Amino acid sequence: MFNTVFWILAIWFVINVIWMWFRFDNQKLQKTFAWINVCAIIIGFCVYYMAEPLCW
């Protein structure tokens, strides 16, 4: 599960950077993507710390 979530988040951030680069002037879109990124980072940390005991 950790690897799956990691790759989904990694692909999301790449798509996000490319998308925001082409839509640099749209402030509402950037704010929406910023909040999605905050949620994605929180989900990533939760998955990492939940998977950590299983890795040892």
Side-chain angles (χ1 to χ4, degrees), residues 24-45:
F24 191 71
D25 57 344
N26 191 342
Q27 291 294 324
K28 183 176 166 111
L29 183 68
Q30 286 194 355
K31 187 183 283 188
T32 302
F33 274 108
W35 279 110
I36 293 171
N37 289 340
V38 168
C39 294
I41 290 170
I42 291 170
I43 290 168
F45 276 112

Side-chain angles (χ1 to χ4, degrees), residues 4-43:
T4 304
V5 173
F6 172 79
W7 284 110
I8 290 171
L9 290 175
I11 292 168
W12 164 253
F13 284 126
V14 169
I15 291 170
N16 186 8
V17 167
I18 293 169
W19 183 263
M20 288 181 75
W21 188 7
F22 287 111
R23 301 289 182 185
F24 191 71
D25 57 344
N26 191 342
Q27 291 294 324
K28 183 176 166 111
L29 183 68
Q30 286 194 355
K31 187 183 283 188
T32 302
F33 274 108
W35 279 110
I36 293 171
N37 289 340
V38 168
C39 294
I41 290 170
I42 291 170
I43 290 168

